[in-house]
Amino acid sequence: MHTDVWNVFVGPVSVAEVNTTVAPTPVPSSELVPPPPLYFAPFPRGQQVPLQTKNESWSFPRDFWWGFASAAYQVEGAVKDEGRGPSIWDVLTHRATNFVVNNDTGDIANNQYYLYKQDIARIAAAGTKAYSFSISWSRIFPFGSGAVNEAGLRHYDDLIQTCHDYGVEPIVTLYHWDLPMILQNSYGGWLSDKIVPDFTEYARIAFSRWGGKVRTWFTMNEPLVFCGTYPLPNGYFKNTSIPTWQQKYFCGHNVLLSHASAYHVGKALYPNISISIKTNGGYKVPLTNSSADAEAVQRAWDFNEGWFANPLFINGDYPQSYKDYVSAFLPDFTPEQSALINDSCDIFAHDAYTSSFYFAPDAGIDGCLANSSNPLYPGCFNSSNTYATDAGGWNIGPAADPGAPWLHKATDWVPTFLHYIQDTWKPRGGIAVSEFGMAEPFESLKTIRADILSDPVRSSYYRDYMQAILIAISEGVNVVGSLAWSIVDNLEWNQGYSVKFGVQYVNLTTQERYFKASFFEYINAFKTYQEQ
Ligand code: GBH
């Protein structure tokens, strides 16, 4: 059955040479030598050097958890091994035409399914406090629901235990986009409310198995993004009767119900664990000080962060501007559903990579709202990553790799953003920056290893981002943790391996890992500022 399903829906997959768990080896001290500072010592000697002193009014609290993040399909490989069933991403990478750059797949990826001991040893050697990874749902339930695969459970038993052995706190995400393929084909995946009991059962198995070993949990990663991938490319999955333009909103609805259901199951089993959802977004800067741009900014909050954060943190229901649109086709939450959703996150976990400018559409907000063929409908806000023309038209910050056009180093807005989250959604357990990172421009074009390891844009991103968090903390924002994306270069979804987010370079032929300069820059923030 397992083999048949793979053959019919995915076809042949590549297999790594190393296909049993590898014992770790000590990390040589020569690999832990930090690079020269970002501002190289001047030549000739004797010149003035830029001032780099410690700001004595900044600190990370002792219990601030910091570390690195990954996601199952992006790093694990071993896709067919030990009973794993196919996920929609195995189908998308193998079958969907022109879906992924270079037709890259996650078949082998970083082979972390077998190399995790060394990966944990490497970050532990630098004092890292936390490793955030996701569990592959189809390793636990190869067919999404029904029979549990013991081999999958045992794999994560050992991954979690290895983290503890090295003094690294494991942080677990249950769902990072790798939906068991069968659930998409049998009822449309997140488009159907049938997903709620299936996700809850998966979550129940995970919480009961590891609730005593994992303190911090995320149910799902970035529903804004994975709901935005609906409609899935035509022809690879069973059709659904929901009109294509409504699909992402149905997905969001079932996400909120599934998250809330899983949250309450987890808290009933282990009241002291922290369970939240990872949302994503960025600070929204009004392009001008016009009232139309201010309204556009509010609409952008409502259709992005607010879509999930308002129901979860404010009142169990959507923001009004969003509701005005979806109430024509989505069911209302019942009072019981709202009560379950409201207050079902222990912290506000946000993947906050960047910031953008927002402004009113050319047709005006009202003009856009009255015309459903306006390309900006139904959000009816416009966005840009450059200042207004009369403000010079400059980039909001240095650009990332061209393969990540959405991303800039816009760290100046991070303190304001963190204040905004705290003031707007008032999370009781504080805020975690649950992913942030930078795609060094043109990194995949580099061929000399020393050039790859020297990543100045990513390094300055981490330095300035951590200083921004320190500023926010010093101003009273309760930031409790940060997770840098990513522990290693990995499968960047549609961009394949062409866009790099790792703080470690991976030679994908030998699977050797090498620390980049940014790894040391990030760690240095804690060496300098964390209370002991
Ligand atoms: C994270 O999302 C993901 O959780 C992670 O898996 C991924 O590897 C990492 O980012 C790096 O990309 O191309 O203009 O349509 C970050 C938020 C939101 C960023 C969707 C990319 C697509 C913008 N993502 N966005 S566009």
Side-chain angles (χ1 to χ4, degrees), residues 71 74 176-177 221-222 225 278 280-281 351 353 403-406 435 485 490-493 495 501:
Q74 295 181 270
H176 198 124
W177 309 356
N221 181 69
E222 303 185 351
V225 176
K278 283 169 77 190
N280 68 288
D351 297 355
Y353 283 75
W406 52 278
E435 277 183 33
W485 184 273
N490 57 48
L491 180 86
E492 178 54 15
W493 305 112
Q495 298 300 321
F501 274 90

Side-chain angles (χ1 to χ4, degrees), residues 497-513:
Y497 298 99
S498 72
V499 172
K500 316 273 187 185
F501 274 90
V503 294
Q504 296 184 73
Y505 160 66
V506 180
N507 176 328
L508 289 175
T509 311
T510 63
Q511 292 292 354
E512 285 166 294
R513 279 81 159 132

